[in-house]
Structures are given as C-alpha cells and as structure tokens.
C-alpha cells in the first residue's frame, strides 16, 4: 500500500513536465520553474499562418503566456495570458485545478476568455505505458470556451500519445510524438483540415 502511494506521487510529479495546453484547450498543468516552453501550431499547407506562444512560470503557481497569431487576412495580433495552478494533478489521487484568462488585453480575434479547468491523471498498466499516466481534462469558461471543453491524452508509450479534444465548438483528434523528453510534434485532424504543431521545453 505504501509502495503504491509512493509510486502514485512520483508519477504525479513526473506528469507536471507535460504541456500546459493539450492542443487548443488549456489543462491544469503549468510550465515548471526553471523552464520555458515554446510552441507553434498551424494548419497544414497554410504557410505563414498559425499561432506561436512562449510560456513562462512567474511567482508561485502562476504562468505567463505570450502569443502571436499569424493570419493572412488580419495580419498579426499579440496576446498576453495568465493562469494560476491551484492544485497540481496527482496520479489516481487528486485532480489538478487551474484558472486562467487568455488574451487579457482583448487583442485577438478569439477575444478575452476566462476559464476554470480540472485535469485527472489515470495510472495505466500496459507494458509500454505503465509509467506514463493518461490525462483527462474538462473545463468551462467564457467567450472561446463558452460551454464545456474537454480532452484526453492516452499514451501508447513514452514517445507516442493519442490526443482527442473538443474546445466547446469543434472536435479534433490526432497523435503526438516525442522523439526527445523536451520535444513533441503533434498532428491533429479537425473536420476537413489538418493541423500541425510542435513544442519545445528549454531548461535554464
């Protein structure tokens, strides 16, 4: 029993190194102290269009995200977002809880959006994924998150995940490949379009 509790705590701590967003929806994770995360998401074939973000930890439990949206018709627009992790997720024990406001200055087409989100970590027993928990996220908010949004990350191994999400408007599904611990590439399918993304976590 004691060993199970220790294992759950260790897996919970390891899971904190995951991304603070699934693809388009927020999760209850945050960028860890001493790291910075850079990610880019774009529709396949749409050169010069997409989203670039840099996430930084600030103070205790807070995360600052600086973003730039590239659109052919509207040009570029910048955003500042802030989130607070009230509780980190612990595998099979306690869910993570976070709150946030995206695009605080209301400068992007999506507009200012507030949200609350809960993320559960579920321990798995497969041969290749027993040390990587599955993630289940559900949340609600305003504007772009009006209604309920949800998503899941199901690992087949440390390097390969299946992702599905619904941002309260559109559903998408795809895969995430992690060739290295701090690098991931995502390939998502949403109705009649394909979306490519990548993120990198720098440590300092």
């Amino acid at each position: 029993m004691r060993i199970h509790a220790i294992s759950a705590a260790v897996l919970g701590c390891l899971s904190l190194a995951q991304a603070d967003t699934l693809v388009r929806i927020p999760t209850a994770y945050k960028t860890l102290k001493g790291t910075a995360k850079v990610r880019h998401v774009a529709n396949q074939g749409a050169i010069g269009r997409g989203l670039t973000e840099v996430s930084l930890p600030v103070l205790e439990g807070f995360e600052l995200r600086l973003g730039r949206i590239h659109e052919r018709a509207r040009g570029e627009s910048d955003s500042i977002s802030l989130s607070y992790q009230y509780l980190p997720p612990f595998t099979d024990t306690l869910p993570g809880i976070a709150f946030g406001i995206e695009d605080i200055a209301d400068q992007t087409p999506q507009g200012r959006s507030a949200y609350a989100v809960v993320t559960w970590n579920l321990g798995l027993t497969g041969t290749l994924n027993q040390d990587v928990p599955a993630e289940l996220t559900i949340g609600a908010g305003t504007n772009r998150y009006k209604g309920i949004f949800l998503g899941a990350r199901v690992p087949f191994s440390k390097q390969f995940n299946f992702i599905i999400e619904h941002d309260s408007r559109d559903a998408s599904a795809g895969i995430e490949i992690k060739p290295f611990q701090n690098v991931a590439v995502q390939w998502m399918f949403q109705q009649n379009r394909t979306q490519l993304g990548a993120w990198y976590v720098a440590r300092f």
Side-chain angles (χ1 to χ4, degrees), residues 8-48:
V10 170
L11 284 173
C13 291
L14 288 175
S15 69
L16 297 180
Q18 298 287 343
D20 55 346
T21 55
L22 198 53
V23 179
R24 290 174 297 144
I25 67 170
T27 69
Y29 297 111
K30 67 179 291 291
T31 305
L32 295 176
K33 183 178 181 180
T35 68
K37 188 185 76 175
V38 180
R39 79 175 189 123
H40 181 75
V41 180
N43 293 333
Q44 190 171 6
I47 298 175

Side-chain angles (χ1 to χ4, degrees), residues 43 46-50 69-77 107-109:
N43 293 333
I47 298 175
R49 298 166 61 188
I69 295 176
H70 318 270
E71 291 188 326
R72 186 170 299 172
R74 297 173 179 263
E76 296 183 344
S77 55
Q107 296 295 308
T108 66

Side-chain angles (χ1 to χ4, degrees), residues 4 19 24 29 42 44 56 58 64 82 115 121 142 178 201:
H4 176 74
R24 290 174 297 144
Y29 297 111
Q44 190 171 6
L56 301 165
V58 292
L64 179 67
L82 188 68
Y115 64 86
N121 277 358
T142 63
K178 298 179 67 177
V201 176

Side-chain angles (χ1 to χ4, degrees), residues 65-99:
R65 194 172 347 133
L66 308 175
R68 171 164 289 185
I69 295 176
H70 318 270
E71 291 188 326
R72 186 170 299 172
R74 297 173 179 263
E76 296 183 344
S77 55
D78 298 324
S79 68
I80 299 176
S81 304
L82 188 68
S83 62
Y84 173 67
Q85 185 188 56
Y86 176 75
L87 183 70
F90 289 92
T91 303
D92 293 332
T93 307
L94 293 171
I97 302 173
F99 309 92

